[in-house]
Amino acid sequence: MEKKISFIHCADLHLDSPFKGMSRLPAHLYQQLKRSTFDALDNLVALAINKNVDFILIVGDVFDESIQSVYAEMQFLMACQKLEQAGIEIYLSFGNHDYNQTKQRFVQFPDNVHLFDSDQVTSKVFKKNGKPLVAIHGFSYLERAVTINKTDQYQAVPNLPYQIAMLHGSIQQSKEHDHYAPFQLSDLINKPFDYWALGHIHKRAILSEDPPVVYSGNTQGRSVKEVGKKGCYFVSLDQSKKAQIHFEALHAIQFDQLTIDVRHCQQIDQLYQILSDQMKQLEKARRILFIKLINYQDALLSLYHQGKIADLIDVLNEQYQDQSDWLSIQQVTLTEQAKSIDTTLEARDPFMKELFQGFDSIDWDEVMSELWHHRKARRFLNGLTEEEKQQIAEEAKQLLRFQLTGNDTYED
């Protein structure tokens, strides 16, 4: 019996992500961005068929929200149907974003979809040429949070060549994410499993090679926190039990962050040339850029707060927005030198010290109350993320700093 298997490990498709805050994008590019999670799904289907894999593991958060649009559900259903026609099985679990799908769905999946519909770890057997070959273990979220360690529930099925586990969760010591289904790495590597397919963390990572303990990351970047290539892992296992693991890009649009030293830049045309040169050096692809300017001078700070750098970004974006491999600068920020300016002002005057420290304890509910309760505006607003609050506070500090340093070229 042929015991070699190949499969795709993916997670965190987040279909129908709204991509809030992408205000600089022209309407036609924004529509492409909203479509990008579905394009990544199409790329996943094409890859699976091209590689002729035995099955696909989808480890949680297929959808971005607990309640999905009909469009999102139908797009996923049609993807499953295409894979069924190609003879490819799908092993599916739901995570903390789409937990409602476990209990309430409005579509009937085709027979090639094997759903882990319990919050307890269960096992499903993949058969190849009619012979049982792989035990695949997993569970789905029934609520938004799963705070207990589930690893004790993973038990190997005897007399099968391969054991594969699906787990949507995070390492217990992680400081970057909420502790969903927390685990210790040792909990996993001490189990008699041939591959651990992880989801929830959007940055791909191989935590262990023997046995493989792998985060595939998400399939499409959605913000400055999710930069670079996004996709899945193509995995092959044979009787040697040595996994061959290859990353495959699926993203339709790439988010990138550039840090540019502008210590010698004094004028707007100089900045234009620097940014233009940087953009020309990038590999051809549809990209959304977040740019940090470091070691800036007072002249650049003045241009920034006069809105001239924002105008310059519009000029650059117009040059690329109609290309097939378009680029769009979403944000430019000034960083690094600000801290030294703060320190100088604080040392000079206790009032300045207290003023800048006040930005660390903003009562956002009070500050934003009038806007959140505005009769018309509130319908179009969502709560601020911590990242957005930090960004607003930093920009306010920069503006205040600019005014306090006495630069008389500033015009309100």
Side-chain angles (χ1 to χ4, degrees), residues 77 95 105 159 178 208 245 269 278 287 307 320 344 397 409:
L77 176 63
R105 294 192 311 279
N159 303 319
D178 295 322
S208 166
I245 305 172
D269 60 322
Q278 287 282 334
R287 297 176 188 267
Y320 287 92
T344 302
K397 285 173 69 174
T409 65

Side-chain angles (χ1 to χ4, degrees), residues 346-362:
E346 290 173 15
R348 190 187 307 160
D349 190 333
F351 169 74
M352 300 297 183
K353 181 177 182 179
E354 183 177 352
L355 186 62
F356 283 117
Q357 286 176 342
F359 283 93
D360 298 328
S361 56
I362 299 173

